[in-house]
Amino acid sequence: MKFSLSWLRDHLDFTVSLDELCAALNRIGLEVEAIDDPTKRLSGFRTAKILEAVKHPDADRLQVCKVNAGPGMEELQVVCGAPNARTGLHVIFAPPGTYIPGSDITIKASKIRGQKSEGMLCSLRELGLGEESDGIAELSSLAPVGEDYVYYAKLDDPVIEIAITPNRGDALSVRGIARDLAAAGVGHLKPWLTEAIESKISTPFNWKLSHSACSFVMGRVIRGVKNGPSPEWLKRRLDSVGVKSHSALVDITNYVMYDIGRPLHVFDAAKLSGSELNITHAACESFKALDGKDYVLGTEDMIIADNKGVQSLAGIIGGEASSVDENSTDIFVESGYFDAVQIALTGRRLGINSDARYRFERGVDPALVRNGLEAASALIISLCGGEAGEVVEAGKEPAWQRTATLRFEKLKTLAGMDIASHEAVTSLEHLGFEVREQNDEKATFAVPSWRHDIASAQPLSQAPTLTKEQAEKASLHVNEIEAECDLIEEVLRLKGIDTVAPQSLPPLNERTVFSKQTQQARHSMLRRLCAARGYMETVGFSFVSDQDASYFDEICESEKILNPIASDLNQLRPTPLINLLRALDRNLARGLGQNGEAAFFEIGPSFGKQGSRYVLSAVRGGVSARAPGKVAQEPDWLTAKADLLAALELWGVPDVSLTTTSNAPKYYHPGRSGVVRQGPKLVLGSFGELHPTVARHFGLTGTIAVFELNIGNVPMPKNKRKAAPDLSPLQPVRRDFAFLSPKEVDVQDLIKAARMADRKLVTDVRLFDIYEGDKLPEGYRSIGIEVTLQPKQESLTDQQLEALAANIERAVQKVTGAVLRR
């Protein structure tokens, strides 16, 4: 929320300095985020007059000007390149040493093409006050010479920006801020009264309420207005808070909204059809808003419609079809009270961020519906003329009246401060709370209409396992306790948040011993392994867009987010690969990888039809670093498989129990991927290259290697004492075999058959060659394996080795049909 110092003075009579004012705002919880003081930012700029402007002797586009900038600078020489510099022109002058905010430079005396230049003639853009221009700023011929420009242009009005917490909708107006400051002892709050405008004509429209999210609405016609540019004071007010001036009618509604916190909307009455304005549900129709965008409205969205259709998205933004312009003469002013939740849901779904939505979401004063309409009507008639029509309304003002009770002892027990009861009561009265009952122990207050956050009924989310009696008992007095805590907070806030002494937590009686669970230890092992293999850990949202999720799994409605924090975070992720691929794209696009390569991993949840599960997901992309004797290359499916098998080996999963199949999920490359299983059914993980279609969707090019480990499927190690390793004193023997095998035979079946030929002596079998060519029979390939034999008691003789080789040959032929290649 922004406001200027002069605007604050309309509501608050004070004498404190700017620094003292900002300190008071911080003290009462309205944190100051920024201060824009033009007197400091534009210090040094002066009004001046060009006495003479002649062509530069050595440059066609430059002029040498003699400038009078006031006392001490009556005749300075300035070289200027602006085409509009001429004799007699009043200008803005920056002497040497002046900082130019629009160009981020500091002026120095210098020579330009041999001619002395003792300053600079400036445009508004160079002062940071306007857009690009064709030359220097031209001031009025009546402008005095030698005056500080910031005072001449009436820019000596600091603007303060404060942070607003979601419960302080009352502080989204200048009057609300003034009220808080006055309660804190900074000045006196000026009275604000509105008088009912006399109705001279009838209003040809009636309201109809067909949506439960609107409880009260009012409006009136004003005929014979003249819409044009706003007066300078109004333009300056809106410009100071960052609101662009459009026309007097639009500016007045914006002014009232910032001034007292009452959002309004103005329709061009001539563009409305029929005599009834209906606040109702949209009918899945298209609506063109004032921002020039088309929106498709849902059936829950609340609209203001006439006979032709949607004219406004109630409480959020008006429609282009009924907007006012310079030709508008008859207008209809609307002032309504709309449900905060409904406004928030519609605004989030459509992605519309307006000042009206921002205020309705945080709560507006329900008692200002009528007074806000009267205030706007008076200002419109004052600035634009016209005659006011009778006020038409529907519904009734919400029952905002409520009370809250403060027990004085709680100021000590909850706040930890000794605050006298009369001081607490006075503080709350200054904020607008009225005492209804009071004794030595407690006081009951009537809560003002603008503080909707205090003593409002709080929704209580209770555990479904509670019985009805337990639920009623748990909810007993919740609203009373919440309201009391709110009152204590207000007393402390006005006392000064910085005066609340910090309290240490009570020491623990016993030392808490934290121990890692087995699963946590396994995760730590995985993190170290991935880091050692060149991956960087990330932590991503569990929410992704349904568009991204559709590439990895069928969209499951049960995993849709009903109230997402953003439109592109509306689905629970089926795999962390989505977040990792987005991170990979950003890093590779910006060259942030290590030597052209980037690799990321995450241990986190994934969601699907089978419920949630924890997985280790990893991606690797880019090109490896160049080195002597080494060719730079992209990662491939073998890299991903090696990383996955390394993780399983780390957890003690015996590789002899693993098999690999080719039925990887659809987002893997169909010919360069696989699934690692333990047994026929238990899937431990998948690996391979990312499908090119998925890679293109994420903006990635080249080969992307990925793998996933289903952490929950990997069996936990058995808790048994490890025996000493049985190490043989004898050297192992390695023999190579080349089998002629049908192509449909799985290599792993062949390896497993060779391993099972002799479980005592065969300790390892590894694939080292696969050959396919015209020298082999059609439909066959050669598979080369290395078999490691480890004798335990005595060295193997040649006869034993030959017999063992024959056993391996027979075992492989029996299982796979492959024969030894001769």
Side-chain angles (χ1 to χ4, degrees):
M1 172 66 188
K2 292 182 178 180
F3 61 94
S4 65
L5 214 58
S6 63
W7 200 339
L8 182 65
R9 292 187 187 278
D10 286 354
H11 296 278
L12 186 68
D13 186 8
F14 64 95
T15 58
V16 298
S17 65
L18 177 62
D19 291 339
E20 291 172 325
L21 182 72
C22 292
L25 288 168
N26 286 325
R27 191 169 61 249
I28 62 177
L30 301 178
E31 182 181 358
V32 176
E33 289 193 320
I35 303 172
D36 181 17
D37 189 353
T39 59
K40 296 179 180 178
R41 178 165 48 87
L42 302 178
S43 174
F45 292 96
R46 291 187 172 194
T47 57
K49 181 179 180 180
I50 300 177
L51 303 176
E52 180 184 54
V54 297
K55 183 180 177 182
H56 193 291
D58 298 319
D60 293 337
R61 297 186 179 182
L62 298 179
Q63 297 187 73
V64 179
C65 303
K66 288 184 179 179
V67 177
N68 178 9
M73 301 181 183
E74 287 84 355
E75 192 170 328
L76 301 176
Q77 180 169 298
V78 178
V79 177
C80 180
N84 62 331
R86 60 187 181 274
T87 301
L89 181 65
H90 287 247
V91 295
I92 304 171
F93 173 70
T98 304
Y99 174 72
I100 310 296
S103 304
D104 193 23
I105 59 173
T106 300
I107 296 299
K108 297 179 181 179
S110 61
K111 285 189 176 182
I112 301 177
R113 294 288 186 94
Q115 294 294 320
K116 180 174 64 174
S117 183
E118 300 175 285
M120 178 179 178
L121 306 183
C122 303
S123 66
L124 292 179
R125 182 193 63 80
E126 288 162 333
L127 271 68
L129 299 176
E131 302 298 329
E132 188 68 45
S133 62
D134 294 331
I136 56 178
E138 299 187 14
L139 304 183
S140 166
S141 60
L142 301 178
V145 173
E147 185 177 348
D148 283 345
Y149 176 74
V150 69
Y151 295 105
Y152 164 76
K154 297 181 180 179
L155 297 174
D156 53 329
D157 191 9
V159 175
I160 303 171
E161 182 176 3
I162 60 175
I164 302 297
T165 53
N167 65 319
R168 291 301 308 277
D170 64 299
L172 287 172
S173 67
V174 179
R175 182 157 187 86
I177 297 168
R179 186 188 299 117
D180 262 24
L181 287 169
V186 180
H188 300 281
L189 187 66
K190 297 180 179 180
W192 184 83
L193 299 173
T194 56
E195 296 182 0
I197 302 298
E198 181 183 356
S199 301
K200 298 182 178 180
I201 56 176
S202 62
T203 294
F205 301 105
N206 292 312
W207 287 110
K208 180 181 179 181
L209 293 183
S210 305
H211 200 298
S212 59
C214 177
S215 56
F216 187 39
V217 66
M218 308 182 73
R220 67 150 37 110
V221 160
I222 302 178
R223 295 192 183 279
V225 301
K226 183 178 181 181
N227 191 23
S230 296
E232 285 303 316
W233 71 266
L234 182 53
K235 288 182 179 179
R236 284 198 300 269
R237 283 283 168 86
L238 295 178
D239 182 65
S240 68
V241 297
V243 176
K244 184 179 179 181
S245 175
H246 293 278
S247 65
L249 291 174
V250 176
D251 291 353
I252 287 170
T253 60
N254 286 329
Y255 174 80
V256 172
M257 179 172 59
Y258 274 86
D259 190 51
I260 61 173
R262 176 66 252 176
L264 303 162
H265 185 63
V266 176
F267 298 90
D268 188 326
K271 297 177 182 178
L272 296 176
S273 176
S275 61
E276 184 177 80
L277 294 176
N278 189 9
I279 299 181
T280 183
H281 296 261
C284 297
E285 51 200 311
S286 180
F287 165 66
K288 190 161 190 175
L290 287 172
D291 59 5
K293 297 180 181 179
D294 291 315
Y295 298 95
V296 177
L297 308 182
T299 55
E300 292 303 314
D301 296 331
M302 181 170 50
I303 61 171
I304 300 177
D306 63 359
N307 288 349
K308 292 181 180 179
V310 186
Q311 298 300 332
S312 173
L313 194 56
I316 299 178
I317 193 171
E320 190 176 85
S322 58
S323 62
V324 294
D325 53 35
E326 66 277 4
N327 299 317
S328 300
T329 56
D330 298 341
I331 62 171
F332 182 77
V333 188
E334 168 263 315
S335 178
Y337 189 78
F338 307 112
D339 179 68
V341 175
Q342 178 62 49
I343 296 295
L345 290 175
T346 297
R348 290 181 188 179
R349 188 181 66 80
L350 298 177
I352 303 176
N353 294 307
S354 66
D355 287 330
R357 172 199 163 184
Y358 189 77
R359 282 159 176 78
F360 276 118
E361 280 184 350
R362 286 153 180 80
V364 299
D365 187 348
L368 269 183
V369 176
R370 185 180 302 276
N371 289 342
L373 177 64
E374 297 290 357
S377 300
L379 198 52
I380 290 172
I381 294 172
S382 172
L383 298 182
C384 304
E387 293 181 325
E390 61 180 345
V391 176
V392 293
E393 62 183 76
K396 60 181 180 179
E397 185 176 287
W400 53 265
Q401 294 82 0
R402 57 202 185 278
T403 60
T405 300
L406 171 63
R407 292 170 291 177
F408 300 128
E409 62 169 334
K410 293 298 181 180
L411 291 170
K412 177 63 177 178
T413 57
L414 292 182
M417 295 182 67
D418 287 321
I419 301 177
S421 59
H422 69 275
E423 183 181 352
V425 171
T426 301
S427 297
L428 293 171
E429 285 180 322
H430 287 166
L431 279 175
F433 293 82
E434 295 181 5
V435 178
R436 290 290 177 83
E437 296 180 13
Q438 183 178 354
N439 55 37
D440 293 339
E441 296 179 353
K442 62 183 180 180
T444 300
F445 300 88
V447 180
S449 60
W450 54 82
R451 290 307 300 269
H452 71 97
D453 58 313
I454 296 177
S456 297
Q458 300 292 329
L460 188 64
S461 180
Q462 295 182 309
T465 55
L466 294 179
T467 64
K468 182 179 179 181
E469 292 75 15
Q470 289 173 327
E472 290 178 353
K473 185 177 180 180
S475 62
L476 196 63
H477 304 305
V478 167
N479 289 334
E480 291 85 346
I481 295 171
E482 288 284 346
E484 183 176 50
C485 292
D486 289 337
L487 293 180
I488 294 173
E489 180 184 352
E490 293 303 299
V491 173
L492 291 179
R493 191 169 62 83
L494 295 184
K495 185 74 173 178
I497 294 176
D498 52 352
T499 63
V500 179
Q503 299 290 330
S504 300
L505 292 173
L508 296 175
N509 296 329
E510 298 180 2
R511 181 184 175 189
T512 304
V513 179
F514 297 95
S515 60
K516 276 189 177 181
Q517 298 179 356
T518 305
Q519 194 73 296
Q520 292 174 319
R522 298 178 93 194
H523 290 180
S524 296
M525 294 167 62
L526 280 181
R527 289 185 173 93
R528 289 196 296 270
L529 172 74
C530 291
R533 298 183 76 88
Y535 289 96
M536 181 179 293
E537 185 175 12
T538 70
V539 179
F541 273 129
S542 291
F543 306 138
V544 296
S545 71
D546 54 0
Q547 184 180 7
D548 286 349
S550 65
Y551 282 84
F552 293 84
D553 199 1
E554 294 182 6
I555 297 298
C556 184
E557 290 299 323
S558 63
E559 308 301 336
K560 279 279 186 74
I561 308 301
L562 298 179
N563 187 20
I565 60 176
S567 59
D568 58 346
L569 297 174
N570 63 343
Q571 178 83 24
L572 286 171
R573 64 183 183 185
T575 170
L577 285 178
I578 299 175
N579 308 75
L580 297 175
L581 291 171
R582 288 294 179 198
L584 184 68
D585 172 46
R586 289 192 296 270
N587 281 266
L588 291 179
R590 292 163 176 77
L592 301 180
Q594 186 175 6
N595 300 319
E597 185 180 38
F600 302 100
F601 80 94
E602 180 181 350
I603 298 175
S606 65
F607 306 88
K609 295 180 180 179
Q610 306 302 322
S612 62
R613 56 193 177 95
Y614 248 66
V615 296
L616 162 64
S617 302
V619 300
R620 192 190 293 269
V623 181
S624 62
R626 295 182 294 175
K630 180 182 177 182
V631 179
Q633 59 186 7
E634 295 178 334
D636 56 16
W637 66 273
L638 288 173
T639 307
K641 182 179 181 181
D643 292 337
L644 175 59
L645 293 179
L648 292 171
E649 181 183 3
L650 178 71
W651 279 4
V653 180
D655 58 349
V656 295
S657 66
L658 302 178
T659 57
T660 303
T661 59
S662 59
N663 56 336
K666 66 177 183 178
Y667 48 89
Y668 285 90
H669 193 295
R672 303 172 189 169
S673 59
V675 175
V676 176
R677 302 172 182 268
Q678 192 174 38
K681 295 183 179 180
L682 187 61
V683 176
L684 300 184
S686 53
F687 64 88
E689 297 177 11
L690 191 67
H691 197 288
T693 302
V694 180
R696 283 195 298 271
H697 170 73
F698 285 91
L700 296 165
T701 58
T703 302
I704 308 299
V706 302
F707 78 86
E708 297 171 280
L709 173 63
N710 299 328
I711 293 176
N713 288 357
V714 181
M716 298 287 287
K718 295 181 180 180
N719 295 325
K720 62 179 183 179
R721 297 181 63 182
K722 292 184 178 180
D726 184 15
L727 301 177
S728 174
L730 303 175
Q731 284 283 88
V733 179
R734 293 179 175 84
R735 285 290 181 94
D736 293 346
F737 296 83
F739 288 95
L740 189 63
S741 169
K743 288 185 178 181
E744 62 270 13
V745 172
D746 197 328
V747 174
Q748 285 205 342
D749 292 340
L750 190 148
I751 292 175
K752 186 176 181 180
R755 192 188 302 273
M756 300 300 292
D758 192 318
R759 295 187 179 184
K760 292 183 178 180
L761 291 177
V762 177
T763 58
D764 192 20
V765 180
R766 294 184 181 276
L767 175 71
F768 71 84
D769 180 57
I770 296 179
Y771 171 73
E772 297 179 10
D774 55 2
K775 296 182 180 181
L776 299 179
E778 186 175 353
Y780 283 80
R781 60 182 176 179
S782 174
I783 299 176
I785 61 173
E786 178 190 74
V787 180
T788 301
L789 308 171
Q790 179 62 66
K792 299 292 181 66
Q793 303 296 333
E794 58 183 5
S795 298
L796 298 174
T797 64
D798 290 342
Q799 292 81 3
Q800 290 172 321
L801 288 174
E802 291 299 329
L804 188 56
N807 289 341
I808 294 173
E809 182 181 349
R810 285 192 298 271
V812 171
Q813 184 176 6
K814 181 180 179 181
V815 174
T816 66
V819 297
L820 197 65
R821 186 180 174 191
R822 306 296 181 182

